[in-house]
Amino acid sequence: MNQADTAWMLISTALVLLMTPALAFFYGGLVRSKNALNTMMMSFVSLGVVGMVWAVIGYSLAFAPGNDWIGDASRLFLKGVGLEGVGPAGDQIPHYLYMCYQGTFAIITAALISGAIVERMRFSAYAIFITLWSIVVYSPIAHWVWGGGWLSKMGALDFAGGTVVHVNAGVAALVAAWVLGPRRDYRSTGLLPHNIPFALLGAGVLWFGWFGFNAGSAVAANGIAALAFTATMLAPTATLVVWMLLDIARTGKPTAVGTATAIVVGLVAITPAAGFVGPMSALLLGGLAAFPSYFGLLWRASTSFDDSLDVVAAHGLGGTVGALLTGVFAQKALNGVADGALFGNPGQVLIQGTAVLAAIVYSGVLSFVLLKLVGLVVPLRADRDDESVGMDVSQHGEEAYVHAEGSAAQV
Amino acid sequence: MNQADTAWMLISTALVLLMTPALAFFYGGLVRSKNALNTMMMSFVSLGVVGMVWAVIGYSLAFAPGNDWIGDASRLFLKGVGLEGVGPAGDQIPHYLYMCYQGTFAIITAALISGAIVERMRFSAYAIFITLWSIVVYSPIAHWVWGGGWLSKMGALDFAGGTVVHVNAGVAALVAAWVLGPRRDYRSTGLLPHNIPFALLGAGVLWFGWFGFNAGSAVAANGIAALAFTATMLAPTATLVVWMLLDIARTGKPTAVGTATAIVVGLVAITPAAGFVGPMSALLLGGLAAFPSYFGLLWRASTSFDDSLDVVAAHGLGGTVGALLTGVFAQKALNGVADGALFGNPGQVLIQGTAVLAAIVYSGVLSFVLLKLVGLVVPLRADRDDESVGMDVSQHGEEAYVHAEGSAAQV
Amino acid sequence: MNQADTAWMLISTALVLLMTPALAFFYGGLVRSKNALNTMMMSFVSLGVVGMVWAVIGYSLAFAPGNDWIGDASRLFLKGVGLEGVGPAGDQIPHYLYMCYQGTFAIITAALISGAIVERMRFSAYAIFITLWSIVVYSPIAHWVWGGGWLSKMGALDFAGGTVVHVNAGVAALVAAWVLGPRRDYRSTGLLPHNIPFALLGAGVLWFGWFGFNAGSAVAANGIAALAFTATMLAPTATLVVWMLLDIARTGKPTAVGTATAIVVGLVAITPAAGFVGPMSALLLGGLAAFPSYFGLLWRASTSFDDSLDVVAAHGLGGTVGALLTGVFAQKALNGVADGALFGNPGQVLIQGTAVLAAIVYSGVLSFVLLKLVGLVVPLRADRDDESVGMDVSQHGEEAYVHAEGSAAQV
Amino acid sequence: MQSVKSIVRPDKVDDVKEALAKIGVSGMTVTEVRGHGKQKGHTAVYRGKEYQVTLLPKMQIETVVPDDIVEAAVQAIITAARTGEIGDGRVFVAPVTRSYKIRTGEREGM
Amino acid sequence: MQSVKSIVRPDKVDDVKEALAKIGVSGMTVTEVRGHGKQKGHTAVYRGKEYQVTLLPKMQIETVVPDDIVEAAVQAIITAARTGEIGDGRVFVAPVTRSYKIRTGEREGM
Amino acid sequence: MQSVKSIVRPDKVDDVKEALAKIGVSGMTVTEVRGHGKQKGHTAVYRGKEYQVTLLPKMQIETVVPDDIVEAAVQAIITAARTGEIGDGRVFVAPVTRSYKIRTGEREGM
Ligand SMILES: Nc1ncnc2c1ncn2[C@@H]1O[C@H](COP(=O)(O)OP(=O)(O)O)[C@@H](O)[C@H]1O
Ligand SMILES: Nc1ncnc2c1ncn2[C@@H]1O[C@H](COP(=O)(O)OP(=O)(O)O)[C@@H](O)[C@H]1O
Ligand SMILES: Nc1ncnc2c1ncn2[C@@H]1O[C@H](COP(=O)(O)OP(=O)(O)O)[C@@H](O)[C@H]1O
């Protein structure tokens, strides 16, 4: 067992777990106050249901030997998972810890989807959906890339989950927003965020947690972790600056919501590349990634497609761009794994594209099927009145903020 | 000195320190806005007074050699505490760091009590009370269990403080709520939380910090830390899910306050067990722990006993259940220390029960005596008017939120 | 490469990065709600512009060999910075990581200045100013102290940046507040903070991050890190207690804003001393540091000098006091570097004073020149109307909080 | 001159504003309020107790208009704010003696 | 028909609501306001300066009732909201010309 | 007795309060409101769309005063709250039939 690696992975796992409450604030601040709790609960419930299911089923399907497509059942209920070291000789960490680390990824990936369907999806339907989704969609794709499946054999590079996490969640979000349909008052009123400081808080803490996400994906406290850390720190700085300049060019005013979004987009885009690229490539990649998400978001907002918090633009597009640019900027000299197009290996971009496409198709189809199946059991949307009165009261029997006293009588 | 252990304990200590501000938000969000600052200050002041007193007196009473009941005075003012390594050979960390780590526990334990008496206890009386309490109640009990005292000799298992921290604080909270009496408008109006997102923020950050609390209690970056980490991640997922199901069964609506509470209850319950039990036991323990706290809280709310934020139900009951179940689920094969009832050693439950009982009696009696003594010097309760106008204005001369401009004239 | 050191520096860097969003909340909570976003954005923009510029230019000027006054251009664009280890033999960490760690200091130092000029400075002028400031002021001073420059050769002690960060930012803040002039309604209305819980959140998270700042400045997971950690935990406890007592002596009421401020002052003051002093010296230093800042702030508030959030009193005074007291309390027995006046080396205080003075003069003059230059291109102040309607709307086109629905029509 | 004060559902403010604009009324003052009426509140659950929250979020829109368009304003509001469900709110008409524009100081001729 | 508007202490809203319910008044609109009167405000301390906060949190309850129960409503409110201390607040009665139910559109017969 | 209700810019509350105090009016109730009028709102940008926020933050100050000082109160408010720019707000005067002090229960002699 490498104790230094263990120390780093202990804190990395805690950091990634923290990202889900952070996401709750990033998303929760952007909705109207009558839906603030419901939006936050969509992240928190993932900590419960996906966390449990991961230990019982998901880990086995993703990381047990199995075949090229899916892990086998040999680690259901964490059978055979214990204190023994896993990983390359000299950099081993306890198997339990590795399982936990991967579990935090499953939790946040499922929670990411919620941004597309907030303010209207029935809470019970959502909870059932993400539970199944984490088993049926997330675990297999994780297996393809990190569990020894076909994409890893093909040589696809995905350092910390650009495809597994972000493209995957982005596509599921797209499908979900489309199946659910827009909020009833979408396009008729300005659905302005109720608490932008919460969104900034979420973005700030997400960045902090993302160091565990990306640099932790080295699964060791070594140079690769430092490389990934550097990329994770620098890429979003460039995205933030470019986004602000785009804001200024378009409307004269750099927005706070834009800044929060830019940080997330930069982090998403650097995720697949983090441990493969140098710092100047990271800056470039971060800056470039601002464009598709910025204009994608603009375009989406002009349509009747209500991906409420722009999960597709931020995670779907950002993840795709990141995955492709990983195939451009990767540098064998740094990581010993593979070169990208810029360093003489243009074929890598194709491999990257294949991986993205595979995730899009699989996640798209399966997410659709799952939603339809869940819809047979529980209506996916809240009732018209429940949506209008607000999801906090209708789904949870609570209001997020009560300022006056004496506004409630005990029954 | 083991540098990897040192790295892990540095960050663990920081994590546990962060739990006290997190508690400020967990508690502060659940009170009315006129008492938000006062409630938060009850946690923050502990960082000051208990932190100072720990270095000067508390550490010596808890961790200096002494006898079975209390440490001696040999480490007052940290005499003899320095950069030398402490701990088992091969896993030594600097003595200073160990002292800091333990200090963060003293700070949060004292702050936990405040949840029972918010919205009415005079701030000065509270500050004096917790200062004395940390010396007279916390330090001795910490000595019994972790300082080589009688409970550790008896073989009581308390990995990270189920008895020392949670049962102890829970009992002190019970006594304090009883001595103080209910808020004047308790039972006549609905005392609804003013900012539930703050409570969720608190719960999320508490979970994050709790990894330092539990996995840090291994005082090493090793397999036991990983084991404790795993339990700390999994137990609350089960508590959260069971709590939601209970909510749904009872009212049809899973609440956000319930979710925040469930996370804390799961964390409390796994605290004594974390480094002794396997992951499936952790899930079971977390799920089981939901029941007594859930129904305890329901029952309390139907009485005239105003434990305002249910410290007794969450920490007292949760800690007791956790301590007892540690005696059921502990597994020598994992930690090399002791087996629980499930693994052929039913006697462990009795030992656990004795430890809990000892903490209840000692903390109960001494907390009562201390409150009465403090009450001789400063009235424990705020004046009727001060309580009615709100503790923020009356105790601190501030309002938490001022939205309009120009609502104040300079004197 | 020392993996344990690497693990500790990975998390330390993440901790210091988190301090900038934390600062956004500390500052953002203290302004009026119409300026909340703008205030927060002044911290967030530093993550973008200073972060980028650091990698491209700043690091080279601060840490490339160069001469006594400034680093040379050999590491522009991070040329020659890679995965190789840096630091003393046996405690080496990846060069990239060291660069990142130092970058987080540059980011927050620039952001600290904003507290002096919130609620009135034009956002674009501010962004340009801090970008240039980080190159022209911060990098050289960092070189003097940490890059092998003249102050380090002279033997000035500055463990984690009392002079480089806090005195430096404090002086720039003083100059900026003076050049900008007071807010238009300063002294006519009570400019009360709109959300004190946010300020407490900021202070709590700053403390957490400061462990990375101070204990991380050991650049190793060793005894010195533990020493610095201990000082960073204890000093603010004393500042907090003394500040509360001063509040009580003066007005009878310990305030929450005071508590948040005291935590920051204690952290600032211990910053230069952290790795050089013992725990009881840290307590003393923290307690003493409360006085100048407390009374400095009182005095400032009675003048027409509008250092809006008292950056000068907290960082300027606190940093100066800390730097001087480092020359009093430093203990060679602990760190092997130098003794202070209390341990028989009174000359150290003079050296410390020289370093502070140098920072004051250089930062004061250059900050003034830079502001004037920027003012030639962009007016430094927002228009009268923009200031009156609020900086959120005028600079960013957003409102921080929108509670009612339907208050906006799509264009 | 009369004050037409309406208490409407929060999501009807824009519709009312537009309806008033159509009949030439552009000035109005909007306040977040909580209303109590026939509409059943919701049940809040906190710490195991249930609370009937009977003060529900509403928006109050007050506009002061010349006598001759009072009726038109009332009808415009009623049409725009109606859903037909309990909780739609009220419109109150009350006399206003005089009205001033602060900017110019003149008494308004409406 | 008259508007009975009362400004009361924040912790008296429930009592007033109940008192009104007892005399058959169930509709009302409640607003968070800040009041200035004889009641001394509190001193806020911020950055070493002291501020006299003289606008204190109050709740405003407005109910429009038929003429014949105005007096009863006023007395009910006064009894329920009184503590006898400075700061109890006021009740204002003002004429309302007409009132409409938005849901049905009909002018109310009260 | 009349109600003088003014809608003013948020940063004018203190000035109005002082101006009223000078002519002996000390009681008033202040509410955060949003106003719509001639004043152009600001453009909010969110998710790439622009929104015209036309409901701007204003403060409403209501004070009930005896008939003989209504005119003085109106003038004091207008002077104190005026900037001369669009968006300064309005003052509305409306009849109040009677007024009670809750603390004493007596009808007020103003
Ligand atoms: N008598 C009244 N005085 C003042 N406001 C009233 C009165 N009656 C109703 N309201 C307001 O109108 C709102 C809607 O009334 P409610 O009885 O629930 O619905 P509806 O009028 O559609 O039957 C209430 O929430 C309250 O704000
Ligand atoms: N003339 C007035 N016009 C409008 N509101 C008033 C007036 N006088 C008092 N109020 C309201 O009544 C509240 C209580 O008044 P105050 O003088 O403090 O207490 P009391 O009436 O019990 O002596 C004030 O805070 C204010 O909201
Ligand atoms: N007819 C009206 N009824 C009620 N409030 C009004 C009316 N007209 C204006 N107001 C209030 O006065 C404020 C200022 O009005 P506006 O037309 O913008 O400025 P000005 O009166 O200075 O030209 C508005 O925001 C609104 O709150």
Side-chain angles (χ1 to χ4, degrees):
Chain A
M1 200 88 59
N2 183 318
Q3 280 198 284
D5 291 343
T6 301
W8 172 234
M9 294 313 293
L10 285 166
I11 183 62
S12 285
T13 309
L15 284 169
V16 186
L17 191 106
L18 181 65
M19 290 173 71
T20 299
L23 185 72
F25 276 79
F26 180 64
Y27 281 173
L30 294 176
V31 298
R32 286 166 292 171
S33 58
K34 68 177 178 182
N35 299 315
L37 290 182
N38 178 248
T39 301
M40 293 186 170
M41 286 291 279
M42 285 189 163
S43 290
F44 274 87
V45 73
S46 181
L47 286 162
V49 292
V50 178
M52 272 190 78
V53 152
W54 177 258
V56 174
I57 305 174
Y59 181 70
S60 193
L61 296 187
F63 288 93
N67 55 31
D68 268 9
W69 307 97
I70 192 157
D72 57 35
S74 63
R75 285 167 190 169
L76 288 187
F77 293 93
L78 301 181
K79 199 156 35 88
V81 177
L83 290 171
E84 72 283 359
V86 292
D91 272 321
Q92 292 204 317
I93 64 164
H95 198 163
Y96 277 144
L97 181 56
Y98 185 71
M99 179 277 298
C100 284
Y101 183 65
Q102 294 297 342
T104 57
F105 279 61
I107 289 168
I108 191 160
T109 307
L112 284 173
I113 305 169
S114 64
I117 46 75
V118 290
E119 305 203 304
R120 60 197 183 284
M121 189 168 183
R122 194 177 291 264
F123 188 69
S124 53
Y126 168 79
I128 297 170
F129 169 66
I130 61 163
T131 308
L132 298 176
W133 188 89
S134 80
I135 300 172
V136 176
V137 181
Y138 181 81
S139 284
I141 298 188
H143 185 77
W144 299 352
V145 177
W146 298 323
W150 70 281
L151 283 177
S152 71
K153 287 186 183 151
M154 203 180 74
L157 301 177
D158 189 3
F159 192 71
T163 305
V164 180
V165 173
H166 298 290
V167 175
N168 186 1
V171 171
L174 188 148
V175 170
W178 178 62
V179 169
L180 268 282
R183 287 164 289 181
R184 300 206 188 278
D185 41 10
Y186 183 66
R187 303 197 67 72
S188 67
T189 25
L191 305 166
L192 296 180
H194 87 287
N195 194 320
I196 299 180
F198 278 178
L200 286 171
L201 177 65
V205 177
L206 277 171
W207 198 342
F208 177 60
W210 224 294
F211 289 117
F213 199 95
N214 284 1
S217 287
V219 200
N222 58 14
I224 299 303
L227 187 69
F229 191 105
T230 308
T232 308
M233 180 163 145
L234 294 182
T237 67
T239 322
L240 194 162
V241 170
V242 172
W243 200 285
M244 272 199 177
L245 294 174
L246 290 170
D247 259 358
I248 291 169
R250 208 171 57 85
T251 70
K253 292 180 180 174
T255 60
V257 172
T259 297
T261 307
I263 289 172
V264 172
V265 166
L267 290 164
V268 165
I270 201 62
T271 294
F276 300 125
V277 303
M280 288 303 130
S281 301
L283 277 180
L284 261 174
L285 193 157
L288 286 173
F291 293 91
S293 290
Y294 189 90
F295 292 104
L297 197 151
L298 275 189
W299 177 78
R300 195 279 305 160
S302 71
T303 69
S304 65
F305 178 65
D306 185 13
D307 171 11
S308 313
L309 306 178
D310 283 301
V311 184
V312 179
H315 298 272
L317 274 182
T320 301
V321 167
L324 296 178
L325 290 182
T326 302
V328 173
F329 289 117
Q331 217 170 329
K332 198 166 186 171
L334 287 168
N335 57 49
V337 176
D339 270 326
L342 254 189
F343 301 89
N345 177 20
Q348 189 62 41
V349 182
L350 269 180
I351 304 183
Q352 298 298 103
T354 311
V356 169
L357 210 69
I360 291 176
V361 172
Y362 184 80
S363 175
V365 172
L366 267 284
S367 299
F368 179 81
V369 171
L370 273 181
L371 280 166
K372 287 299 179 188
L373 285 178
V374 172
L376 294 178
V377 187
V378 197
L380 296 178
R381 278 192 76 133
D383 296 339
R384 169 184 282 275
D385 280 3
D386 286 357
E387 182 180 337
S388 149
V389 80
M391 304 295 281
D392 290 3
V393 162
S394 70
Q395 308 292 302
H396 307 287
E398 293 169 301
E399 287 180 273
Y401 313 99
V402 173
H403 280 279
E405 310 176 67
S407 63
Q410 210 172 306
V411 177
Chain B
M1 201 87 62
N2 183 316
Q3 281 198 285
D5 291 343
T6 301
W8 172 234
M9 294 314 294
L10 285 166
I11 183 62
S12 286
T13 309
L15 284 169
V16 186
L17 191 106
L18 181 65
M19 289 173 71
T20 299
L23 186 72
F25 276 78
F26 179 64
Y27 280 173
L30 294 176
V31 298
R32 285 166 294 171
S33 59
K34 68 177 178 181
N35 299 315
L37 291 182
N38 176 250
T39 300
M40 291 185 171
M41 286 293 277
M42 286 190 162
S43 289
F44 274 87
V45 74
S46 181
L47 286 163
V49 291
V50 178
M52 272 191 79
V53 152
W54 178 257
V56 174
I57 306 174
Y59 181 69
S60 192
L61 297 187
F63 288 94
N67 55 31
D68 269 9
W69 307 96
I70 193 156
D72 58 35
S74 62
R75 285 168 189 167
L76 289 187
F77 292 92
L78 300 182
K79 198 155 37 89
V81 178
L83 290 171
E84 72 283 358
V86 291
D91 271 320
Q92 292 203 319
I93 64 165
H95 198 164
Y96 278 144
L97 182 55
Y98 184 71
M99 179 277 298
C100 285
Y101 183 65
Q102 293 298 341
T104 57
F105 279 61
I107 290 167
I108 192 161
T109 307
L112 283 173
I113 304 170
S114 65
I117 47 73
V118 290
E119 305 202 304
R120 60 196 184 284
M121 189 168 183
R122 195 179 289 265
F123 188 69
S124 53
Y126 167 80
I128 297 170
F129 169 65
I130 61 163
T131 308
L132 298 176
W133 189 90
S134 81
I135 300 172
V136 176
V137 180
Y138 181 81
S139 284
I141 298 189
H143 185 78
W144 300 354
V145 176
W146 297 323
W150 69 281
L151 283 178
S152 71
K153 289 187 182 152
M154 204 180 73
L157 301 177
D158 189 2
F159 192 72
T163 305
V164 180
V165 173
H166 298 289
V167 174
N168 187 1
V171 170
L174 188 147
V175 170
W178 178 62
V179 169
L180 267 282
R183 287 164 288 182
R184 299 205 189 279
D185 43 9
Y186 182 65
R187 303 199 67 73
S188 67
T189 24
L191 305 165
L192 295 181
H194 87 286
N195 195 320
I196 300 180
F198 278 179
L200 286 171
L201 177 65
V205 177
L206 278 171
W207 197 343
F208 177 59
W210 224 294
F211 288 117
F213 199 94
N214 284 1
S217 287
V219 199
N222 58 13
I224 299 302
L227 187 69
F229 191 106
T230 308
T232 308
M233 179 164 148
L234 293 182
T237 67
T239 322
L240 195 163
V241 169
V242 171
W243 200 286
M244 273 200 176
L245 293 174
L246 289 170
D247 259 357
I248 291 170
R250 209 172 56 85
T251 69
K253 291 179 182 176
T255 61
V257 172
T259 297
T261 308
I263 288 172
V264 171
V265 166
L267 289 164
V268 165
I270 201 63
T271 293
F276 299 126
V277 304
M280 289 301 130
S281 300
L283 276 180
L284 260 175
L285 194 156
L288 286 173
F291 293 92
S293 291
Y294 189 90
F295 291 105
L297 198 151
L298 274 189
W299 177 78
R300 194 280 305 161
S302 72
T303 69
S304 64
F305 178 65
D306 184 12
D307 172 10
S308 313
L309 306 178
D310 283 301
V311 185
V312 179
H315 297 272
L317 274 183
T320 301
V321 167
L324 296 178
L325 290 182
T326 302
V328 172
F329 288 118
Q331 217 169 329
K332 199 166 185 172
L334 287 168
N335 57 49
V337 176
D339 270 325
L342 253 188
F343 300 90
N345 177 20
Q348 189 62 40
V349 182
L350 268 180
I351 304 183
Q352 297 299 103
T354 310
V356 168
L357 209 68
I360 290 177
V361 172
Y362 184 80
S363 174
V365 172
L366 268 285
S367 300
F368 179 80
V369 171
L370 273 180
L371 280 166
K372 287 298 176 187
L373 286 176
V374 172
L376 294 177
V377 187
V378 198
L380 296 178
R381 279 194 75 133
D383 297 339
R384 169 184 283 276
D385 280 2
D386 286 357
E387 182 180 337
S388 151
V389 81
M391 305 294 282
D392 290 3
V393 162
S394 69
Q395 308 292 302
H396 307 287
E398 292 170 301
E399 288 179 272
Y401 312 99
V402 173
H403 280 279
E405 310 175 68
S407 61
Q410 211 171 308
V411 178
Chain C
M1 202 85 64
N2 183 317
Q3 281 198 285
D5 292 342
T6 301
W8 172 234
M9 294 313 293
L10 285 166
I11 183 63
S12 286
T13 310
L15 284 169
V16 186
L17 191 106
L18 181 65
M19 289 173 71
T20 299
L23 186 71
F25 276 79
F26 179 64
Y27 281 173
L30 294 176
V31 299
R32 285 166 293 172
S33 59
K34 68 177 179 181
N35 299 314
L37 290 182
N38 177 249
T39 301
M40 292 186 170
M41 286 293 278
M42 286 189 163
S43 290
F44 273 88
V45 74
S46 181
L47 286 162
V49 291
V50 178
M52 271 190 80
V53 153
W54 178 257
V56 173
I57 306 174
Y59 181 71
S60 193
L61 298 187
F63 289 93
N67 55 32
D68 268 8
W69 307 97
I70 192 157
D72 58 34
S74 62
R75 285 169 189 167
L76 289 186
F77 293 93
L78 301 182
K79 197 156 36 88
V81 178
L83 290 171
E84 72 282 0
V86 293
D91 272 319
Q92 292 204 319
I93 64 164
H95 199 164
Y96 277 144
L97 181 56
Y98 185 71
M99 179 277 298
C100 284
Y101 183 65
Q102 294 297 341
T104 57
F105 280 61
I107 290 167
I108 191 160
T109 306
L112 283 173
I113 305 170
S114 64
I117 48 73
V118 290
E119 305 203 306
R120 60 195 182 286
M121 188 167 184
R122 195 178 290 265
F123 188 70
S124 53
Y126 167 80
I128 297 169
F129 169 66
I130 61 163
T131 307
L132 299 175
W133 188 90
S134 81
I135 300 171
V136 176
V137 181
Y138 181 82
S139 285
I141 298 189
H143 185 77
W144 300 353
V145 177
W146 298 324
W150 69 282
L151 283 178
S152 71
K153 288 186 183 151
M154 203 181 74
L157 301 177
D158 189 3
F159 192 72
T163 305
V164 180
V165 173
H166 297 289
V167 174
N168 187 1
V171 171
L174 188 148
V175 170
W178 177 62
V179 170
L180 268 281
R183 287 165 287 181
R184 301 206 188 277
D185 42 9
Y186 182 66
R187 303 197 67 71
S188 67
T189 24
L191 304 166
L192 295 181
H194 88 286
N195 194 321
I196 300 180
F198 277 179
L200 286 171
L201 177 65
V205 177
L206 278 171
W207 197 343
F208 177 60
W210 224 294
F211 288 117
F213 199 94
N214 284 1
S217 286
V219 199
N222 57 14
I224 299 303
L227 187 68
F229 191 106
T230 307
T232 308
M233 180 163 147
L234 294 183
T237 67
T239 322
L240 194 163
V241 169
V242 172
W243 200 285
M244 272 199 177
L245 293 174
L246 289 170
D247 258 359
I248 291 170
R250 208 173 56 85
T251 69
K253 291 179 181 177
T255 60
V257 172
T259 297
T261 307
I263 289 173
V264 171
V265 166
L267 289 164
V268 165
I270 200 63
T271 293
F276 300 125
V277 303
M280 288 301 129
S281 301
L283 277 180
L284 261 174
L285 194 156
L288 286 172
F291 293 92
S293 291
Y294 189 90
F295 292 104
L297 197 151
L298 275 189
W299 177 78
R300 195 278 307 161
S302 71
T303 70
S304 64
F305 178 64
D306 184 13
D307 172 10
S308 313
L309 307 178
D310 283 301
V311 184
V312 179
H315 297 273
L317 274 183
T320 301
V321 167
L324 296 178
L325 291 183
T326 303
V328 173
F329 289 117
Q331 217 170 329
K332 199 167 184 169
L334 287 169
N335 57 49
V337 175
D339 270 325
L342 253 189
F343 301 90
N345 178 21
Q348 189 62 40
V349 181
L350 269 180
I351 305 183
Q352 298 298 105
T354 311
V356 169
L357 209 69
I360 290 177
V361 173
Y362 184 80
S363 175
V365 173
L366 267 285
S367 299
F368 179 81
V369 171
L370 273 181
L371 280 166
K372 288 297 175 189
L373 285 177
V374 173
L376 295 178
V377 188
V378 198
L380 296 177
R381 278 194 75 133
D383 298 338
R384 170 185 281 276
D385 280 2
D386 286 357
E387 182 181 336
S388 149
V389 79
M391 305 294 281
D392 290 2
V393 162
S394 69
Q395 308 292 303
H396 307 287
E398 293 169 301
E399 289 179 273
Y401 313 99
V402 174
H403 280 280
E405 308 175 69
S407 60
Q410 211 172 306
V411 178
Chain D
M1 200 157 33
Q2 317 240 9
S3 150
V4 177
K5 176 150 61 169
S6 53
I7 320 287
V8 304
R9 295 180 189 276
D11 49 2
K12 287 297 184 187
V13 172
D14 273 350
D15 297 342
V16 170
K17 197 148 59 88
E18 256 171 57
L20 286 172
K22 275 207 191 103
I23 59 162
V25 173
S26 69
M28 71 193 69
T29 300
V30 177
T31 317
E32 267 185 75
V33 297
R34 297 219 151 211
H36 184 66
K38 289 217 190 60
Q39 192 182 6
K40 262 193 42 172
H42 60 269
T43 308
V45 191
Y46 177 56
R47 302 262 151 205
K49 266 190 253 180
E50 271 157 53
Y51 299 90
Q52 195 59 31
V53 177
T54 53
L55 288 169
L56 300 171
K58 300 278 171 196
M59 298 297 276
Q60 171 184 297
I61 303 170
E62 181 166 18
T63 181
V64 173
V65 294
D67 292 334
D68 55 334
I69 64 162
V70 167
E71 194 52 35
V74 168
Q75 291 312 325
I77 292 168
I78 289 179
T79 313
R82 185 186 299 163
T83 68
E85 304 287 311
I86 282 182
D88 274 355
R90 302 288 152 110
V91 182
F92 302 118
V93 179
V96 166
T97 331
R98 32 199 222 270
S99 154
Y100 300 81
K101 243 198 168 86
I102 290 175
R103 171 160 51 91
T104 54
E106 10 152 59
R107 203 155 144 168
E108 281 189 297
M110 61 179 189
Chain E
M1 201 157 30
Q2 316 239 10
S3 149
V4 177
K5 176 152 57 171
S6 52
I7 321 287
V8 304
R9 295 180 189 276
D11 49 2
K12 287 295 185 188
V13 173
D14 273 350
D15 297 343
V16 170
K17 197 148 58 88
E18 256 171 57
L20 285 172
K22 276 209 190 101
I23 60 159
V25 174
S26 69
M28 72 193 67
T29 299
V30 177
T31 316
E32 267 186 74
V33 297
R34 296 217 153 214
H36 185 66
K38 290 217 191 60
Q39 192 182 6
K40 264 191 38 173
H42 60 267
T43 309
V45 192
Y46 175 58
R47 304 259 151 210
K49 268 191 254 179
E50 270 158 53
Y51 299 91
Q52 196 59 32
V53 176
T54 53
L55 289 169
L56 300 171
K58 300 277 170 197
M59 298 297 277
Q60 171 184 296
I61 303 170
E62 180 166 19
T63 180
V64 173
V65 294
D67 293 335
D68 55 333
I69 64 164
V70 167
E71 195 51 37
V74 168
Q75 291 312 326
I77 292 168
I78 289 179
T79 313
R82 185 187 299 164
T83 70
E85 303 288 313
I86 282 182
D88 274 355
R90 301 289 151 110
V91 182
F92 302 118
V93 179
V96 166
T97 330
R98 32 197 221 273
S99 155
Y100 301 81
K101 243 198 168 84
I102 290 175
R103 172 160 50 91
T104 56
E106 10 153 59
R107 203 155 146 170
E108 280 189 296
M110 60 180 193
Chain F
M1 202 158 31
Q2 317 239 9
S3 149
V4 178
K5 175 151 61 171
S6 52
I7 320 287
V8 304
R9 295 181 189 277
D11 49 2
K12 287 295 184 188
V13 173
D14 273 350
D15 297 342
V16 170
K17 197 148 58 88
E18 258 172 53
L20 287 172
K22 277 208 190 101
I23 60 161
V25 173
S26 70
M28 71 194 68
T29 300
V30 177
T31 316
E32 267 184 74
V33 298
R34 298 220 150 211
H36 185 66
K38 290 217 190 60
Q39 191 182 7
K40 264 193 38 177
H42 60 267
T43 307
V45 192
Y46 177 58
R47 304 255 150 213
K49 267 191 254 179
E50 271 158 53
Y51 298 91
Q52 196 58 34
V53 176
T54 53
L55 289 169
L56 300 171
K58 300 277 170 198
M59 298 296 277
Q60 171 185 297
I61 304 170
E62 181 165 19
T63 181
V64 174
V65 294
D67 292 335
D68 55 333
I69 64 164
V70 167
E71 195 50 37
V74 167
Q75 291 311 325
I77 293 169
I78 288 179
T79 313
R82 185 187 299 164
T83 70
E85 303 289 312
I86 281 183
D88 275 355
R90 302 288 151 108
V91 182
F92 302 118
V93 180
V96 165
T97 330
R98 32 198 223 271
S99 153
Y100 301 82
K101 242 198 169 84
I102 290 175
R103 172 160 49 92
T104 55
E106 10 154 59
R107 208 159 142 162
E108 281 188 295
M110 61 183 193

